[in-house]
């Protein structure tokens, strides 16, 4: 029997009803860091004196009372969870928490009902207790700092166990009512109630389902609070009932800030749209003035220059028109915008319309930031104008193709080509020498786009600008 006792995996000590130790197994001695000889023959609390710095250290009285009950009833007694610190080799006391069970031993053959000894089984749960306390302290700190509330909801009984913060978030005092969830649901905003109930019903059907919903509560005084509920469904290990455990977070300030931000963004967007509208109108006024000047002048060179300037101003005006009409105030959708720009170019070309080249668009629905879109618009204007100015076609006219595409490596390609001969004649002027301004502008625009220019002359003229997106 002694070998079996000593090999037990649980820490056990045997003492008489007067608390004098008669045996201790190896596990017990190792756990307490004490030799068996230092225990046997002593009273328990001679070997393990109470911490003199702990005024609540009354474990001896509790142990004696438990031993008396074991002797009286002949049944094992589990002592309440308690703290009893143990001195280390340096004499300093270490905090220790114990779970204790005292079991009877009937060793009197003459009186088999008399309890002669008590087996004292001790489990050191210090780590678990201190860990739980750290967790609880963190939880309390989190609730205080972030308006958090914890809860356990039982769908079967429709009851909710919760922390005091839960009641506060619904406008209740802690003592207002017990555990039914109904009073809380009655304070959910009518517009949010159906959604919350549907989400709770969904989560309550499956173990492991996640609960995630935000909703409003309305208090009797009219106060409205926004709450966010997060949780999951689990199986109660004791009753096997399904429980939904989680937390509530008061997000009213976040929602209010979001509403103010949305309002500020709406005002900003309105102002930006109004600015774009005014800029567009101002630029259109400038184009009208330039058109009038071009019509009034008798100088052919001046008229050509004024018409070119008009087209450039119109290209910028078209960008602002696109921004005014689009909900996205940061980027421009280029297929719509270039289509509108080309319509203005067609209308502005001089000469007989039957001789005008056909302008074909092959533009992908790309979006670019405003600054790049403005530069690209001006490049399209210059390239199309140059094709019309320098190419030559038969009397029925030719074709100018505008293509915009994205290639691999996030590179965008603008390509303007014509099927003219590449000669010097054109619709704008048959004998007007080129100033070279258009080419200089195109080189500058390519530099602004951080791009490169490629040109080739095969069955007409092609200019290609490649730039990063």
């Amino acid at each position: 029997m002694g070998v079996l006792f000593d090999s037990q995996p649980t820490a056990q000590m045997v003492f008489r009803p007067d608390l004098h130790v008669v045996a201790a197994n190896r596990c017990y001695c190792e756990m307490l860091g004490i030799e068996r000889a230092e225990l046997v023959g002593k009273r328990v609390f001679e070997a393990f004196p109470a911490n003199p710095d702990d005024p609540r250290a009354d474990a001896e009285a509790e142990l004696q009372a438990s031993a008396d009950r074991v002797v009286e009833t002949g049944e094992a007694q589990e002592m309440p969870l308690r703290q009893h610190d143990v001195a280390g080799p340096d004499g300093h006391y270490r905090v220790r928490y114990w779970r204790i069970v005292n079991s009877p031993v009937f060793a009197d053959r003459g009186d088999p009902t008399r309890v002669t000894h008590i087996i004292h089984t001790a489990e050191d749960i210090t780590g678990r207790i201190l860990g739980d306390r750290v967790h609880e302290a963190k939880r309390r700190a989190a609730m205080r700092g972030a308006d958090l509330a914890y809860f356990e909801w039982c769908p079967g009984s429709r009851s909710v166990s919760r922390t005091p913060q839960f009641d506060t978030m619904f406008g209740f005092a802690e003592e207002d009512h017990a555990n039914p969830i109904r009073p809380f649901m009655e304070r959910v905003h009518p517009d949010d109630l159906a959604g919350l109930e549907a989400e709770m019903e969904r989560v309550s059907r499956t173990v492991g389902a996640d609960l995630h919903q935000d909703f409003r509560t309305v208090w009797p005084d009219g106060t409205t609070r926004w709450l966010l509920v997060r949780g999951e469904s689990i199986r109660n290990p004791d009753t096997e009932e399904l429980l939904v455990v989680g937390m509530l977070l008061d997000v009213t300030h976040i929602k209010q800030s979001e509403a103010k931000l949305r309002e500020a963004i709406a005002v900003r967007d309105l102002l930006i749209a109004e600015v774009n509208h005014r800029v567009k109108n101002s630029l259109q006024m400038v184009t009208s003035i330039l058109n009038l000047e071009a019509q009034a002048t008798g100088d052919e060179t001046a008229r050509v220059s004024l018409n070119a300037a008009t087209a450039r101003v119109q290209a910028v005006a078209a960008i602002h028109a696109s921004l005014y009409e689009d909900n996205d105030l940061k980027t421009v959708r280029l297929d719509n915008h270039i289509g509108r720009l080309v319509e203005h170019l067609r209308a502005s070309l001089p000469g007989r319309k039957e001789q005008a080249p056909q302008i074909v668009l092959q533009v992908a629905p790309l979006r670019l930031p405003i600054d790049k879109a403005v530069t690209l618009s001006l490049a399209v204007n210059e390239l199309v104008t140059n094709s019309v100015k320098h190419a030559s076609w038969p009397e029925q006219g030719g074709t100018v193709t505008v293509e915009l595409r994205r290639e691999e490596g996030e590179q965008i390609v603008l390509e303007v080509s014509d099927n003219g001969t590449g000669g010097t004649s054109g619709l704008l002027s048959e004998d007007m020498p080129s100033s070279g301004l258009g080419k200089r502008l195109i080189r500058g625009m390519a530099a602004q786009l951080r791009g490169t220019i490629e040109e080739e002359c095969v069955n007409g003229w092609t200019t290609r600008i490649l730039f990063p997106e």
Side-chain angles (χ1 to χ4, degrees), residues 140-454:
R140 288 193 298 271
M143 287 191 295
R144 286 193 296 268
D147 293 331
L148 277 175
Y150 289 84
F151 68 89
E152 292 182 6
W153 172 55
C154 178
S157 63
R158 304 291 296 176
S159 62
V160 58
S161 303
R162 69 249 180 226
T163 56
Q165 289 85 353
F166 190 97
D167 295 60
T168 302
M169 290 183 186
F170 285 85
F172 289 110
E174 186 178 350
E175 66 277 1
D176 277 355
H177 57 80
N179 289 342
I181 199 171
R182 181 181 54 80
F184 297 104
M185 299 301 289
E186 289 176 350
R187 291 198 174 176
V188 175
H189 193 287
D191 293 344
D192 301 337
L193 181 58
L196 179 61
E197 288 179 333
E199 179 69 0
M200 293 171 67
E201 172 64 23
R202 181 190 66 81
V203 173
S204 67
R205 290 196 298 264
T206 308
V207 174
D210 289 330
L211 172 65
H212 186 184
Q213 190 81 2
D214 55 357
F215 60 94
R216 289 164 290 178
T217 60
V218 182
W219 299 1
D221 63 359
T223 299
T224 300
R225 308 294 296 178
W226 275 98
L227 304 182
L228 171 66
V229 59
R230 292 295 302 269
E232 64 178 290
S233 53
I234 63 172
R235 186 75 67 186
N236 188 322
D238 298 324
T239 65
E240 296 193 358
E241 283 186 302
L242 189 141
L243 294 175
V244 178
V245 299
M247 69 173 191
L248 274 179
L249 176 63
D250 190 326
V251 293
T252 304
H253 294 307
I254 296 175
K255 291 291 186 178
Q256 290 172 342
S257 297
E258 288 176 351
K260 291 179 180 178
L261 181 59
R262 284 194 298 270
E263 182 179 350
I265 290 173
V267 171
R268 183 209 64 180
D269 290 349
L270 180 62
L271 290 173
I272 292 176
E274 182 62 21
V275 166
N276 282 312
H277 180 59
R278 290 178 180 273
V279 169
K280 179 201 72 170
N281 289 345
S282 297
L283 291 174
Q284 286 179 339
M285 184 180 297
V286 172
T287 60
S288 298
I289 293 171
L290 290 173
N291 278 327
L292 290 174
E293 291 289 339
Q295 294 170 11
T297 183
D299 188 327
E300 184 66 18
T301 303
R303 184 164 53 252
V304 170
S305 297
L306 287 170
N307 286 333
T310 300
R312 289 161 185 153
V313 173
Q314 188 62 55
V316 179
I319 285 285
H320 289 277
S322 297
L323 291 172
Y324 178 70
E325 297 168 1
D326 197 345
N327 291 327
D328 187 344
L329 300 176
K330 295 181 179 179
T331 62
V332 177
R333 179 163 166 165
L334 292 170
D335 55 339
N336 295 336
H337 167 67
I338 291 178
R340 186 182 295 114
L341 173 63
V342 167
E343 288 301 316
H344 287 296
L345 280 172
R346 285 195 183 105
S348 65
L349 291 176
R352 297 191 304 274
K353 298 306 176 186
E354 63 272 14
Q355 291 183 284
Q358 180 184 8
I359 302 177
V360 177
L361 296 182
Q362 298 175 3
V363 182
L366 304 176
R367 280 189 172 272
L368 285 183
I370 297 172
D371 55 343
K372 285 189 175 182
V374 169
T375 303
L376 196 69
S377 297
L378 291 170
V380 170
N381 177 78
E382 295 300 325
L383 290 170
V384 172
T385 301
N386 278 353
S387 286
V388 173
K389 180 178 180 180
H390 296 294
S392 61
W393 293 279
E395 290 186 358
Q396 64 270 25
T399 301
V400 177
T401 302
V402 179
E403 183 178 358
L404 184 71
R405 63 183 184 273
R406 180 189 285 114
E407 293 191 341
E408 293 183 4
E410 296 185 347
Q411 183 165 254
I412 294 178
V413 178
L414 170 65
E415 184 175 292
V416 177
S417 59
D418 63 67
N419 60 354
T421 64
T424 58
S425 62
L427 287 175
L428 291 182
S429 175
E430 193 166 287
D431 54 2
M432 183 64 60
S434 170
S435 68
L437 176 60
K439 290 187 176 181
R440 292 199 300 273
L441 287 173
I442 292 169
R443 285 196 294 270
M445 293 164 196
Q448 286 183 21
L449 293 169
R450 294 185 292 117
T452 57
I453 299 176
E454 297 177 356

Side-chain angles (χ1 to χ4, degrees), residues 34 43-52 57 59-60 84-87 93:
I34 193 169
R43 283 176 57 83
V44 173
F45 289 98
E46 288 181 59
F48 305 111
N51 185 350
E60 183 170 3
H84 182 72
D85 301 338
V86 177
Y93 279 82

